[in-house]
Amino acid sequence: MFEVILGLEVHVQLNTNSKLFCSCATSFGEEPNTNVCPTCLGLPGALPVLNKEAVHKAIMLGTALKSQINKKSIFNRKNYFYPDLPNGYQISQFEVPVVGLGELTIDFEDGSSKTIGVTRAHLENDAGKNIHAGDVSHVDLNRAGTPLLEIVSEPDMRSSEEAILYLKKLHSIVRYLGISDANMQEGSFRCDVNVSIRPKGDEKLYTRCEIKNMNSFKFIEKAIKYEVNRQIEAWEDGVYEDEVFQETRLYDPDKDETRSMRGKEDAADYRYFPDPDLLPLVITDEMMEKYSQIPELPDEKKERFVNDYKIKEYDASVVTASVEMANFFDEMMKEEITGKNAVTWLTVELQGRLKETSIENSPITAKKLAEVVKNIENSTISGKAAKEVLDFLIENPEEEVEAVIEKLGLKQVSDDGALLSMIDEILAANEDKVAEYKSGKEKMFAFFVGQTMKASKGTANPQKVSQLLKERLS
Ligand code: ZN
Ligand code: MN
């Protein structure tokens, strides 16, 4: 039996306005090579100037991960050659990163949790992009110099499930902090996974393979599963030493397999040395004070929702999974509706209707959805009618809830007079059934309720109908 050892390195693109060491814009999707200047083109003599905003965002993340923040850290040159790296080195941090040891807690569905160590987070600049078109390759340097925060975990995860929970939690924290859009398709949140196995009970770490540059939770999970199986099979077939090396592998989603890309360099291969163009990064007490004031994080929000809105732990984790959803829910609760109903109408009714559309693009505001719920709670409309109201509002988002209820004629009749005259008519038309009921056939009661609901075209308040019927029949 084997144990799986996983460690993750996540590159988060910080959403600063300008690049890490120059004032070029970081906007995505521009004409190739338009967001460039002598510094990010690596022209001789151009000097880097550190963007403070990136440092502030690093402090925020460090605070969220309860990390030690280093008052003084160093920028190093990481030397390697690649066409999309005009300097011939990346500016990164090596021995002393800005963010030191911290932790992140993951929660399992059964309610248990586990704390994963976060080794460090360091600032570095991104490379450009090589674009391959048939026989020629192009280089776009718009991305070169964009600020990245690389977050490195301890090898604490023991399954692909744990790795995905860690990634989703980190993704959510980054979004709550607002330090990155963490858009995975655009590569603003991408992940390298270090995978190794060992016989259960063994303490030593065996050879790890690194699967590089993945940006989909689904593919990361599949890549880990494939790679774990490959290593286990090699071990069982007695060819572990021949087939498992320290190397960089790529995951191919079309074939669902990992393939060797290159032998993994050791740190020594990069000839790291302090960048002589940059002073040590010093974090002052004022900066610490200011940027360690971070917004409410998913775990705190969850606890507040459970306590204040009396919703279940599980429901709270569903509505706090994304910051947009959590804010939407919080907004709904301002209308003083029941937490449980708010959860259902948000996560089942509204989300079910939005399908692929994410909540931040919902045509219906939180306030309107809450008003719909409120109208059920005060018996103005039935739950069934509320669904009609919601359907109508999605098509006509500019309409007001009250007006829609009126327009669709869905208001429940709770007015005693109107209901009583309907009931009297029904009882008069069914004297035989009234007699049966009075002789003990209690099942007939449901018949009278049904007839009244029908006569009111579904708008009668059923509780009210029952109550009035009982009075009339007693
Ligand atoms: Zn530039
Ligand atoms: Mn990196």
Side-chain angles (χ1 to χ4, degrees):
M1 275 291 103
F2 292 91
E3 184 172 44
V4 177
I5 316 286
L6 302 170
L8 300 177
E9 291 165 22
V10 175
H11 285 89
V12 172
Q13 189 187 312
L14 298 174
N15 56 358
T16 55
N17 292 319
S18 52
K19 294 184 180 180
L20 188 54
F21 297 112
C22 62
S23 55
C24 291
T26 50
S27 45
F28 183 83
E30 304 288 337
E31 275 293 297
N33 300 308
T34 52
N35 286 348
V36 291
C37 74
T39 300
C40 56
L41 288 175
L43 299 186
L47 289 173
V49 178
L50 178 62
N51 180 350
K52 284 257 170 61
E53 207 191 335
V55 178
H56 301 160
K57 291 179 170 172
I59 296 173
M60 290 173 75
L61 182 88
T63 308
L65 300 179
K66 304 185 188 81
S67 305
Q68 176 210 326
I69 296 186
N70 291 318
K71 290 264 157 98
K72 187 173 168 186
S73 62
I74 309 289
F75 284 104
N76 292 68
R77 290 186 180 179
K78 181 183 182 180
N79 299 279
Y80 66 95
F81 172 78
Y82 209 62
D84 62 11
L85 188 74
N87 278 306
Y89 58 84
Q90 178 187 34
I91 304 177
S92 182
Q93 299 192 294
F94 187 54
E95 280 111 345
V96 194
V98 56
V99 176
L101 198 61
E103 62 180 49
L104 184 150
T105 303
I106 56 174
D107 304 298
F108 299 98
E109 232 170 274
D110 67 3
S112 63
S113 58
K114 175 174 173 177
T115 299
I116 308 291
V118 178
T119 318
R120 57 188 277 151
H122 60 256
L123 285 165
E124 60 185 28
N125 57 6
D126 207 347
K129 260 183 203 161
N130 294 320
I131 299 154
H132 306 289
D135 291 344
V136 287
S137 290
H138 304 278
V139 180
D140 176 8
L141 292 173
N142 280 350
R143 200 181 65 183
T146 313
L148 298 176
L149 193 57
E150 177 175 341
I151 302 145
V152 182
S153 84
E154 295 285 300
D156 284 351
M157 284 150 281
R158 294 289 172 269
S159 65
S160 56
E161 185 205 358
E162 291 186 10
I164 299 300
L165 286 172
Y166 171 91
L167 285 170
K168 287 191 169 163
K169 187 66 167 285
L170 184 59
H171 186 262
S172 145
I173 288 174
V174 163
R175 301 265 308 146
Y176 268 73
L177 293 174
I179 60 174
S180 168
D181 65 20
N183 184 319
M184 296 183 81
Q185 279 97 35
E186 292 177 5
S188 308
F189 187 95
R190 46 192 206 260
C191 171
D192 308 334
V193 190
N194 288 292
V195 183
S196 67
I197 56 160
R198 67 182 172 200
K200 267 218 169 96
D202 213 333
E203 289 294 305
K204 115 175 210 219
L205 291 172
Y206 287 79
T207 308
R208 65 187 158 89
C209 295
E210 182 179 26
I211 317 170
K212 264 244 179 279
N213 237 335
M214 294 178 285
N215 57 357
S216 133
F217 293 130
K218 194 176 98 200
F219 291 153
I220 293 166
E221 187 169 11
K222 287 181 141 186
I224 292 171
K225 285 189 172 147
Y226 176 88
E227 182 58 22
V228 165
N229 279 335
R230 186 184 75 87
Q231 294 186 16
I232 291 177
E233 272 174 27
W235 189 298
E236 286 173 339
D237 296 346
V239 292
Y240 180 80
E241 307 269 314
D242 304 320
E243 288 185 3
V244 179
F245 323 98
Q246 186 177 326
E247 63 177 354
T248 300
R249 298 178 71 87
L250 281 186
Y251 176 70
D252 178 346
D254 296 327
K255 296 192 172 146
D256 187 24
E257 62 179 29
T258 65
R259 281 198 303 274
S260 181
M261 181 167 97
R262 55 166 194 254
K264 171 71 185 171
E265 300 81 358
D266 274 318
D269 297 329
Y270 290 116
R271 296 177 296 117
Y272 280 101
F273 63 86
D275 191 314
D277 289 341
L278 287 158
L279 289 168
L281 162 54
V282 174
I283 291 177
T284 61
D285 291 343
E286 292 75 42
M287 278 161 87
M288 263 311 282
E289 172 75 25
K290 184 156 179 210
Y291 295 100
S292 56
Q293 313 285 331
I294 53 171
E296 194 178 34
L297 294 173
D299 284 350
E300 299 161 19
K301 226 180 244 298
K302 191 171 140 187
E303 201 183 314
R304 178 165 65 82
F305 285 1
V306 169
N307 291 333
D308 293 3
Y309 302 147
K310 313 285 174 229
I311 61 174
K312 285 194 203 128
E313 190 101 3
Y314 178 78
D315 287 343
S317 53
V318 172
V319 293
T320 52
S322 83
V323 66
E324 290 80 14
M325 180 89 121
N327 290 342
F328 198 98
F329 182 76
D330 232 353
E331 200 61 36
M332 283 180 80
M333 293 308 295
K334 285 188 186 154
E335 296 297 305
E336 292 178 356
I337 52 176
T338 315
K340 186 172 174 286
N341 289 339
V343 169
T344 309
W345 281 82
L346 171 56
T347 64
V348 181
E349 299 301 339
L350 179 60
Q351 277 216 302
R353 284 164 173 80
L354 293 180
K355 297 190 182 83
E356 300 297 297
T357 315
S358 49
I359 198 76
E360 61 266 38
N361 299 320
S362 164
I364 304 198
T365 61
K367 187 167 187 290
K368 276 191 193 173
L369 184 62
E371 278 170 18
V372 173
V373 176
K374 199 168 200 165
N375 276 294
I376 310 172
E377 291 183 356
N378 64 22
S379 300
T380 305
I381 53 174
S382 67
K384 193 165 157 258
K387 292 179 188 180
E388 276 182 57
V389 173
L390 189 53
D391 288 333
F392 189 89
L393 278 171
I394 285 181
E395 296 302 318
N396 308 277
E398 70 292 344
E399 297 260 5
E400 295 302 324
V401 176
E402 299 297 329
V404 172
I405 293 172
E406 206 62 54
K407 186 181 276 183
L408 300 180
L410 294 170
K411 198 170 248 174
Q412 293 195 113
V413 181
S414 298
D415 166 41
D416 288 12
L419 286 176
L420 274 176
S421 64
M422 271 184 241
I423 286 171
D424 288 339
E425 253 177 65
I426 287 159
L427 296 185
N430 295 284
E431 274 174 12
D432 49 337
K433 297 206 167 65
V434 174
E436 281 179 50
Y437 175 80
K438 288 193 168 153
S439 68
K441 206 168 171 192
E442 284 182 21
K443 270 200 290 184
M444 289 323 294
F445 192 76
F447 168 80
F448 299 127
V449 175
Q451 288 298 303
T452 317
M453 293 306 293
K454 202 170 151 195
S456 75
K457 299 193 179 66
T459 61
N461 175 345
Q463 282 86 39
K464 200 84 204 176
V465 170
S466 289
Q467 182 206 323
L468 293 174
L469 267 168
K470 266 182 201 139
E471 284 171 22
R472 273 295 195 262
L473 289 166
S474 63

